[in-house]
Amino acid sequence: MLILGDSVTWSAGYGWDHGVTKAAGEVLGLAGSGLIGDSGATGQGYGAVAFGGAFFGNGFATTLDAVPVDRQGYALRVGVPAVTAGTTPLNGFSFGVTGQAPQLDPAAAYDWHLYTASAPGGGSLRGYRRIVSATTISIGQTLSAVATATPPVGLEHTVLHFNASPTSPAGVQQEMRLDDVQNTSIFYSRVIKPGATGVTVSSLGLGGNPTKNFYNQVYAAMSPAGRTAYLSNLVDGGTGKLNVMLAEGFNDRNDRTLSLNGVDFGYTQAGFRDNITTLIGLMRSDWSAAGKSGRSLVHARRHVSG
């Protein structure tokens, strides 16, 4: 599932994405987390969080111009588009499993899926697992370094497998963490439980803004290739089906600019409808460009009309 909208989508980590993930996990189970970037554009969901590259410093560049030029159109466009390490190896980008979601046991085995691009000549990264409690941090499984490169099309997809950590105290947060990251931009990542079935929930939001601004500043601001890659990566390894929930309308009440196709002002029913249907139309076009069947993309709308 992908939830799109304003601050109700991901506000302070407790937006609709959090609630939908919790409910889906209780009814259908969770196969893993959604796609999360250390960006401010993606909600952290329920039981999982990406952090350390941007919000905790660690030397990573956090501007669009640090991303390889031919992949800047793939970057999420709000806040931090990606976290980038240059020629000096950096560490500290993490994906935490918090223990909040019962279906995502911090001590379980996980595959950490990273979506990256590298400078000419390629780069590298190394993963390890650490166990975090209120008083101690201990190092678990440490992996060998792997090379990164930029494929001819799309983003580099690297999967780091971590075995179960049975000695971890119940409910203690564990982190999949990167060390020695070099010449690599990290766009977003997720964890998947090998062999698990269920739902994954991702989200993109633009707080305090109407649908038109979300369209222009977040979704359509990515390149066509970047959008098709993002949609494809949402369903990578799953059923290939994507349910999209639109949580827009509250901020549209104050949108006194013409809608995307100039139908009427954004706060009117006609203008709001134009903005919503234009967003849906572009997503369906991108889904088709990604080689997906139109029947495998479903939109559900939840909004307050002007």
Side-chain angles (χ1 to χ4, degrees):
M1 174 173 278
L2 173 63
I3 305 177
L4 307 177
D6 53 26
S7 60
V8 302
T9 302
W10 50 263
S11 179
Y14 293 97
W16 284 15
D17 56 354
H18 178 100
V20 170
T21 305
K22 184 176 187 296
E26 291 172 351
V27 176
L28 300 171
L30 298 177
S33 74
L35 281 183
I36 300 176
D38 193 12
S39 65
T42 61
Q44 305 291 24
Y46 172 63
V49 58
F51 60 91
F55 299 138
F56 291 87
N58 298 323
F60 286 89
T62 57
T63 57
L64 186 61
D65 60 8
V67 175
V69 173
D70 61 352
R71 290 300 185 272
Q72 290 181 0
Y74 290 67
L76 302 175
R77 313 306 281 197
V78 175
V80 177
V83 293
T84 301
T87 56
T88 300
L90 299 175
N91 65 79
F93 180 80
S94 301
F95 199 106
V97 182
T98 66
Q100 187 177 35
Q103 303 83 10
L104 299 180
D105 176 9
Y110 286 100
D111 289 334
W112 188 14
H113 296 248
L114 294 131
Y115 297 87
T116 66
S118 298
S124 62
L125 53 82
R126 180 174 63 85
Y128 67 98
R129 187 170 189 159
R130 72 176 192 171
I131 303 165
V132 182
S133 71
T135 57
T136 62
I137 296 176
S138 59
I139 303 300
Q141 183 180 0
T142 300
L143 305 179
S144 300
V146 297
T148 60
T150 303
V153 178
L155 297 174
E156 177 88 345
H157 180 195
T158 299
V159 181
L160 302 180
H161 176 74
F162 292 91
N163 299 324
S165 180
T167 59
S168 172
V172 172
Q173 175 171 308
Q174 295 201 20
E175 299 171 7
M176 273 50 78
R177 194 169 174 89
L178 294 184
D179 201 356
D180 296 334
V181 186
Q182 189 173 14
N183 291 330
T184 301
S185 294
I186 305 164
F187 293 79
Y188 38 75
S189 66
R190 73 179 338 147
V191 292
I192 297 292
K193 291 179 66 176
T197 59
V199 179
T200 65
V201 181
S202 305
S203 62
L204 285 176
L206 184 63
N209 282 268
T211 306
K212 179 181 176 180
N213 289 3
F214 176 86
Y215 180 95
N216 285 327
Q217 298 176 31
V218 180
Y219 189 72
M222 290 188 285
S223 68
R227 295 194 302 268
T228 58
Y230 179 74
L231 294 177
S232 294
N233 294 336
L234 284 169
V235 299
D236 185 34
T239 62
K241 297 180 179 180
L242 180 64
N243 185 298
V244 182
M245 177 180 179
L246 302 179
E248 291 280 12
F250 186 81
N251 292 294
D252 295 83
R253 300 175 306 164
N254 299 316
D255 182 8
R256 300 187 179 276
T257 66
L258 286 176
S259 63
L260 289 164
N261 295 297
V263 171
D264 207 335
F265 294 111
Y267 70 88
T268 68
Q269 290 185 0
F272 181 65
R273 183 183 301 111
D274 178 37
N275 289 332
I276 287 288
T277 56
T278 301
L279 174 59
I280 291 173
L282 182 58
M283 292 195 72
R284 287 180 172 165
S285 176
D286 292 335
W287 188 250
S288 177
K292 309 295 184 181
S293 166
R295 289 176 295 179
S296 62
L297 179 68
V298 178
H299 280 88
R301 280 171 280 176
R302 170 74 176 178
H303 58 259
V304 180
S305 183

